Amino acid sequence: MADFFAMGGYAFYVWGSFGVAALFMIVEPILVARSHRTLKQRLGRMIRMNSEVEE
Amino acid sequence: MLSALFCIIQRDLTLAMRNRSDVLTNLFFFIIVVSLFPLGVGPDPELLQAMASGVLWVAALLASMLSLSGLFADDHADGTLEQLVMTPQPLALLVLGKVCAHWLISGLPLVLMAPLLGLQYGLSGDILVMLVLTLLVGTPVLSLIGAIGAALTLGLRSGGVLVSLLVLPLYIPVLIFGAGAVEASAAGLGAEGHLSLMGAMLVAALLLSPLAAAAALRISIE
Amino acid sequence: MAINVFKFSSPATFYPLAGKMVPWFAFVAVVLMVVGLYLSLVVAPTDYKQGEGYRIMFIHVPAAWMSMLIYVVMAGWAVVGMVFNTRLSSMMASALAPTGAMFTFIALWTGALWGKPMWGAWWVWDARLTSELILLFLYIGFMALESSIDDPRRASRAGGVLALVGVVNIPIIYYSVQWWNTLHQGATIKASSESSMTDIMLLALLVMTFACWAYTIAVALTRVRRIILEREGNTRWVGDMLEDKSNG
């Protein structure tokens, strides 16, 4: 198993590139999904506030 | 149609001549940037000769880009741009007129000043001629592509910086062939290939960028 | 029965549809990525010349392809948005830009990490790497322009013009950099010849590429849904939708 991670001596380069790529491709969806959710909640709250004001 | 073109060019030139300082500041920016490099890199003539074309071309690029934000800005401010949009003549033609005026104001002085600065870098006869030739063909392309950037960022707060961000990547082919031509002729390889490609870029830019700039202007004015 | 092409072109109808598609594409992306990683890191044989280091290719090449493909698709949506004046297409263009810029950065990053052991330098003015760098500037210019214009309608149309001008320039930039690179051949060490591709390597590469496709679609659809909410927040259909969602 150890030599798998050693990557024939290129461990730093191979895991460096796959690691950064993985980091970006995990963080970006999380950021987009969270910003979408918070926006939806904020709009929901504003609509509930407006409907209360009308009553 | 052509009368409209010349009328725009003539109007812009008189406007520019009224406050002549703009023309000079642009030229002095070019001279100062070019003169800075030897101070930074060192006076070694061999080195300076090698990088002369690159430095002069990058400085010409920056100088022409510097004056871009003013291309439509003052017309936009006092409302003449709206009048221009509503004239019967095609907007692209009027934009072409403004770009020609801009080139005459900011591009041509650079071309005329380049030989003097080339001497400063120890460039000799035919290389100097090639430098002036490439600048002569290249600076109009810079103004034409720059007009698109200026039109897109009309009236934006961060307009000046944004123009450079939009336009510099599009300047890269002109820079590569401009500086490359001078280097090729210096190395005796002959620069016909570079010059013909720059000519092609000039023709393509003359045809396409006024259209794109006109479309961008219409978007910016609404 | 004429198929109404524009049925899903209005944000109101597209929003729920995109909502249903996102989980599906996300799932496909994850599965393909896991399979791709397994193929490229474990199954693919070691390269006789570059040893294990060549495995960076399995993320570098798909990322570079994606960066160029996304820019062209983005420009395509921008043109459709300008021609048909459909707001949704321009929203799709601005939704794709950040993911495209991300793939360009990944391509540059992995290119540098691959170049260090093979060419001995972090950054080599190789024609492809240089063009990739310029592509990153084009993306950043597009996003900067769209974010600095407040009125969303003008922002998307201005972005459209820039994307169109950019996509026309991409081949010109690529070939001029290619020409510039071969001209200064001495300055860069030519990459060692591409190692011959066995079928497994090719398969791993394709699986990784399709994983990136599914990933891009999932992320772009989520981001376009956020942009729709951003720009259509005060419309009635958003109100109804959120209302029955909150008490539903």
Side-chain angles (χ1 to χ4, degrees), chain C residues 59-60 63-64 67 102-112 129 132:
Chain C
I59 186 68
H60 176 68
S67 62
M102 184 203 77
F103 273 123
T104 319
F105 178 76
I106 290 180
L108 286 170
W109 177 270
T110 51
L129 279 181
E132 197 73 38

Side-chain angles (χ1 to χ4, degrees), chain C residues 35-233:
Chain C
V35 168
L37 284 176
Y38 177 70
L39 281 178
S40 45
L41 290 176
V42 177
V43 172
T46 55
D47 176 61
Y48 63 92
K49 226 204 318 290
Q50 296 189 9
E52 304 294 339
Y54 88 100
R55 292 182 193 282
I56 299 175
M57 166 183 84
F58 293 118
I59 186 68
H60 176 68
V61 172
W65 284 346
M66 287 312 291
S67 62
M68 284 174 251
L69 176 70
I70 290 178
Y71 195 91
V72 173
V73 169
M74 190 176 83
W77 277 120
V79 167
V80 166
M82 284 202 299
V83 166
F84 294 105
N85 221 335
T86 47
R87 298 187 311 280
L88 188 57
S89 332
S90 330
M91 290 184 200
M92 190 56 111
S94 9
L96 280 166
T99 308
M102 184 203 77
F103 273 123
T104 319
F105 178 76
I106 290 180
L108 286 170
W109 177 270
T110 51
L113 253 70
W114 193 8
K116 177 66 179 149
M118 303 311 150
W119 299 338
W122 288 112
W123 177 258
V124 170
W125 288 97
D126 170 70
R128 290 158 304 189
L129 279 181
T130 315
S131 326
E132 197 73 38
L133 185 64
I134 299 168
L135 186 62
L136 184 63
F137 296 151
L138 289 175
Y139 272 115
I140 291 170
F142 179 85
M143 290 192 284
L145 177 66
E146 288 224 324
S147 61
S148 72
I149 301 175
D150 309 328
D151 157 28
R153 232 177 68 76
R154 177 184 165 185
S156 44
R157 292 167 65 95
V161 170
L162 184 66
L164 194 59
V165 169
V167 89
V168 165
N169 272 287
I170 281 187
I172 301 172
I173 290 175
Y174 182 73
Y175 285 111
S176 50
V177 169
Q178 204 79 8
W179 182 302
W180 164 81
N181 178 265
T182 45
L183 198 65
H184 297 272
Q185 198 43 59
T188 60
I189 317 132
K190 199 74 199 85
S192 57
S193 64
E194 289 303 326
S195 42
S196 58
M197 292 271 260
T198 60
D199 331 344
I200 308 232
M201 289 185 195
L202 202 57
L203 178 66
L205 206 56
L206 287 180
V207 169
M208 288 294 278
T209 306
F210 286 123
C212 290
W213 275 38
Y215 166 85
T216 308
I217 295 171
V219 169
L221 286 180
T222 325
R223 188 174 290 119
V224 87
R225 293 181 80 213
R226 192 203 69 205
I227 293 174
I228 290 174
L229 278 190
E230 252 166 38
R231 297 192 185 163
E232 316 256 321

